[in-house]
Amino acid sequence: MPREPSTAGEPDRAELARSVRRTDLKAVGEVRRALRELLRHRCRGEMAEVADVAELLITELVTNALVHTEQGAEVSATVRAGRLRVEVRDHTARLPRPYVPSADDGTHGRGLLLVQALADAWGVDPLAMGRGKVVWFELQAAA
């Protein structure tokens, strides 16, 4: 279920949070749908133009966390003042690297390239003491 903390004093702020178990690949679609609902119901058009891109990018990051790490992930999204920030925290300190896949890779390996190409900003923040990392992206509503 989405966690929507009190936003008293911040009427233009909306949030969701999800925990995703390692083996639960169907949760990728559930996270994508939760983000769509957050943007549709709580943001009323200001983020509508970036919703499709946001859904694609959250799908890529959550899938990467589930496929390339040994544990699940924590997913959060925050919309504030026309800016969406999505964070996917996993429990593996190994940092992801975008790479250009060969023709033999099929569709494998393109997730971070999509994030790099489509996000207004993105990055990877290691957590203290090797406890994992947060891969994040931000999208800005068109002015």
Side-chain angles (χ1 to χ4, degrees), residues 95-133:
L95 300 179
R97 295 176 312 181
Y99 83 105
V100 178
S102 70
D104 296 338
D105 285 339
T107 59
H108 173 73
R110 290 173 172 77
L112 285 180
L113 291 175
L114 287 170
V115 174
Q116 189 174 36
L118 298 174
D120 293 316
W122 80 281
V124 180
D125 298 329
L127 298 176
M129 299 172 45
R131 293 187 177 168
K133 64 187 166 295

Side-chain angles (χ1 to χ4, degrees), residues 8-58:
E10 291 189 69
D12 63 341
R13 180 183 171 123
E15 296 183 358
L16 74 83
R18 289 277 195 283
S19 292
V20 183
R21 293 187 319 272
R22 178 184 179 266
T23 58
D24 190 8
L25 289 177
K26 71 178 176 143
V28 175
E30 293 168 2
V31 168
R32 185 177 53 245
R33 283 187 294 280
L35 179 63
R36 180 184 319 128
E37 291 300 307
L38 175 77
L39 294 176
R40 185 168 65 107
H41 290 297
R42 297 291 306 269
C43 301
R44 304 264 191 241
E46 72 181 30
M47 296 297 295
E49 66 276 2
V50 300
D52 291 338
V53 172
E55 287 181 45
L56 172 64
L57 299 185
I58 200 170

Side-chain angles (χ1 to χ4, degrees), residues 46-112:
E46 72 181 30
M47 296 297 295
E49 66 276 2
V50 300
D52 291 338
V53 172
E55 287 181 45
L56 172 64
L57 299 185
I58 200 170
T59 298
E60 294 298 336
L61 293 189
V62 173
T63 300
N64 283 351
L66 297 181
V67 170
H68 298 292
T69 67
E70 280 74 48
Q71 297 180 2
E74 304 296 321
V75 181
S76 66
T78 305
V79 178
R80 185 179 329 171
R83 187 165 200 82
L84 168 68
R85 182 178 175 99
V86 171
E87 298 181 350
V88 179
R89 179 188 184 272
D90 66 46
H91 305 282
T92 301
R94 184 179 64 250
L95 300 179
R97 295 176 312 181
Y99 83 105
V100 178
S102 70
D104 296 338
D105 285 339
T107 59
H108 173 73
R110 290 173 172 77
L112 285 180

